[in-house]
Amino acid sequence: MPGPIQSIQRAAEVLKLLAHGGAHQLSVGEIARALDLAKPTVHGILRTLQEVGFVEQEVEGGKYRLGAALFQIGTSYLDGNELRAKALNWSDTLAMRAREAVRIGVMHGKHVLVVHHVFRPDNSRQTLDTGALLPWNATALGKALVAFGEWPDGDLQRFTRHTLNPEELADSMNEVRDRDWAYDLHELVEGEASVAAPIRDRRGVVVGAVGISGPVERLCDSPDQPPRLELVSYVREAARSVSRELGGLSW
């Protein structure tokens, strides 16, 4: 059998780097250094990806970012299990009721893949997170998913001094199963919180999670308290509504 094609592997590495870059815009030199490739090689890859719409080049500065054609391909993948399509209206409603950003996620290996993101309904500057990969152990979405599935293998990364250790996380998983919703408080980003609830299909299997996230002062009554019960109820109602759309039992 023929081996892997090196040029395709390198193009994939470039796309992954652009997807996970801090600013999501990188120069030829930055990409070359990160992947240990020659600049002419990287430039050729970028020009080819640009021709097919997978990357775009900024007019000012000349840096590269992911292109619209790649996002369209990703969207067709995200719609595969109908979760995103079924959740569109309910996630919009949740954003309006909670006045916070809404994310819907599914497990993807050891991470949570954001399949849909609704901006907080205000005029603040926000970045679209659809397609982003989040750590499961430091997010409400991840806890709501893993509590009803399998604990992914691998070491758990710490992001802040509040990120739970394995023992604390195990206790948290038991609490999530008991109350059917999850939250994180300063665990991924200091000063931010999130709350999420599982989405079930017609078999009763958890196939996703929906949640809100934002600054602690907006979600919680105090910096060391869980999110307000009013917001929790909004999230749980949204999760139940999407579950019913997927044929799940109403409760």
Side-chain angles (χ1 to χ4, degrees), residues 200-227:
R200 295 177 170 86
D201 65 7
R202 62 179 59 87
R203 303 164 298 169
V205 175
V206 172
V207 294
V210 58
I212 60 174
S213 61
V216 169
E217 59 266 24
R218 288 207 305 260
L219 269 64
C220 310
D221 290 326
S222 65
D224 58 351
Q225 293 295 317

Side-chain angles (χ1 to χ4, degrees), residues 152-171:
D153 295 331
D155 296 333
L156 300 177
Q157 183 177 352
R158 293 188 65 86
F159 300 92
T160 73
R161 60 190 178 90
H162 297 281
T163 304
L164 304 183
N165 62 40
E167 292 76 17
E168 293 170 331
L169 193 56
D171 291 339

Side-chain angles (χ1 to χ4, degrees), residues 51-83:
E51 287 181 6
V52 297
F54 285 3
V55 301
E56 298 172 354
Q57 188 177 23
E58 289 290 302
V59 176
E60 297 182 3
K63 291 190 174 184
Y64 290 85
R65 64 186 178 190
L66 294 181
L70 190 65
F71 179 77
Q72 292 169 358
I73 292 175
T75 300
S76 67
Y77 163 75
L78 298 177
D79 274 330
N81 63 0
E82 295 186 278
L83 177 60

Side-chain angles (χ1 to χ4, degrees), residues 171-223:
D171 291 339
S172 178
M173 293 294 97
N174 290 331
E175 294 175 359
V176 172
R177 284 187 284 270
D178 288 341
R179 65 183 177 227
D180 211 41
W181 60 275
Y183 75 93
D184 90 82
L185 195 62
H186 308 286
E187 295 170 39
L188 180 60
V189 177
E190 194 76 39
E192 292 191 5
S194 66
V195 56
I199 296 170
R200 295 177 170 86
D201 65 7
R202 62 179 59 87
R203 303 164 298 169
V205 175
V206 172
V207 294
V210 58
I212 60 174
S213 61
V216 169
E217 59 266 24
R218 288 207 305 260
L219 269 64
C220 310
D221 290 326
S222 65

Side-chain angles (χ1 to χ4, degrees), residues 18-24 66 71 74-75 78 84 100-106 108 111-120 125-135 139 141 188-189 192-194 211-214:
L18 289 172
H20 297 289
H24 301 289
L66 294 181
F71 179 77
T75 300
L78 298 177
R84 182 174 181 272
E100 298 294 346
V102 174
R103 294 176 180 82
I104 295 175
V106 299
H108 183 71
H111 298 85
V112 177
L113 173 65
V114 178
V115 299
H116 187 52
H117 177 205
V118 181
F119 285 161
R120 182 171 184 263
R125 185 174 180 178
Q126 302 176 62
T127 302
L128 186 65
D129 288 344
T130 300
L133 294 174
L134 305 176
T139 58
L141 287 173
L188 180 60
V189 177
E192 292 191 5
S194 66
I212 60 174
S213 61

Side-chain angles (χ1 to χ4, degrees), residues 14 18 28 31 42-50 55 64:
V14 169
L18 289 172
V28 172
I31 296 172
V42 172
H43 188 259
I45 292 172
L46 288 169
R47 289 300 298 271
T48 303
L49 292 173
Q50 186 176 8
V55 301
Y64 290 85

